[in-house]
Each structure stands twice: as C-alpha cells, then as structure tokens.
Amino acid sequence: MAATKSEQALVGEWREMLALHARTLNELDRALDQHGLGASDFEVLDVLAEAAGESGGACLRVQEIASRVHLSQSALSRLVARLEKNGLLRRAMCSEDRRGVRVELTGAGQARHVEARPVQREVLSRMLNGAAR
C-alpha cells in the first residue's frame, strides 16, 4: 500500500527529528568529554542540580531521575554507579521506603556541573537554534 503525501511528510519530519537528536547527542558527547562526562552523565547531574534549586535539597529517587532523563532503570543504575565511583554523586537508602534509593550530588558533582553547564547549553543553543529554521 502506497503512503500518501501527508504520511510521507509526517515520516520525513519524524526522521529529521531523529537525525537532529542523534547529531545533537554526538556533539554533546564530544563537547562534554573535556569535562569527563557524556551527554547522559551531564543530564543526571543537571536534573539533580535543578532539583536542588527547586527544593533546596539535591536528593531524588532513582525512579524520579529515570523519568526525567529517559533512560531505562538498568541503564540509569549503571550510570549512577559510575558517577558515584567517580565521586560526583552519592546514593543512600530512602528513610521512608528502605527499598528505594536516593541520589544526591557531591561537592565535586556540583562543581563539575557548574563547569560543564555552559558547554552543554552552548551546544544545545547551536544545534537546536540552527534546526529551528
């Protein structure tokens, strides 16, 4: 069955969006590498920093982070373990639910976020403003 022109346009737009996403992630990974971070690493630090600014506390449950950074639970768990090993965040059991794990930035994680944030924002601005046409 042949696709209609509107279907072709819709699929074309979708593929352009996927391509922009892939190019932006690649550019973020390249730019953030100088700070020892990848795009997903920075996203986790950024989400935790935003949470600290919103509520005054930098702790979030792993499930809350997963929903904000769009990673699977297992991928996020590996990423959190790596960031913890690198001293950028720490994990602790939830006091209200011993099955849950809370994550917070360390001082080193806050400093790395502050240092890498302008780089990440510049890449987003360049890549996404250029795509707006």
Side-chain angles (χ1 to χ4, degrees):
M1 175 177 208
T4 66
K5 286 191 185 282
S6 64
E7 286 177 332
Q8 289 172 342
L10 184 64
V11 169
E13 192 174 333
W14 169 246
R15 289 180 180 152
E16 284 178 32
M17 187 172 27
L18 289 174
L20 175 61
H21 179 264
R23 286 191 310 270
T24 303
L25 274 179
N26 287 336
E27 188 65 24
L28 285 167
D29 280 334
R30 267 193 297 277
L32 291 168
D33 185 60
Q34 66 184 314
H35 299 284
L37 299 171
S40 294
D41 301 334
F42 180 84
E43 271 311 302
V44 170
L45 298 182
D46 202 41
V47 164
L48 288 167
E50 282 178 6
E54 292 168 3
S55 66
C59 280
L60 287 176
R61 292 174 67 113
V62 172
Q63 295 87 340
E64 292 172 290
I65 298 169
S67 69
R68 294 183 189 188
V69 298
H70 310 291
L71 291 173
S72 69
Q73 190 81 25
S74 61
L76 180 60
S77 292
R78 288 188 301 275
L79 190 151
V80 164
R82 187 175 71 249
L83 292 175
E84 183 179 36
K85 181 180 174 191
N86 292 336
L88 301 178
L89 53 82
R90 70 179 136 257
R91 291 184 281 185
M93 298 304 291
C94 292
S95 57
E96 63 276 0
D97 178 2
R98 302 294 292 161
R99 294 171 296 165
V101 175
R102 288 203 176 274
V103 178
E104 67 180 333
L105 288 174
T106 62
Q110 291 169 342
R112 184 82 55 94
H113 176 261
V114 166
E115 149 190 316
R117 186 177 186 271
V119 172
Q120 190 257 9
R121 299 304 198 256
E122 185 280 324
V123 169
L124 290 181
S125 179
R126 181 169 32 89
M127 298 298 291
L128 300 179
N129 288 338
R133 295 180 198 136

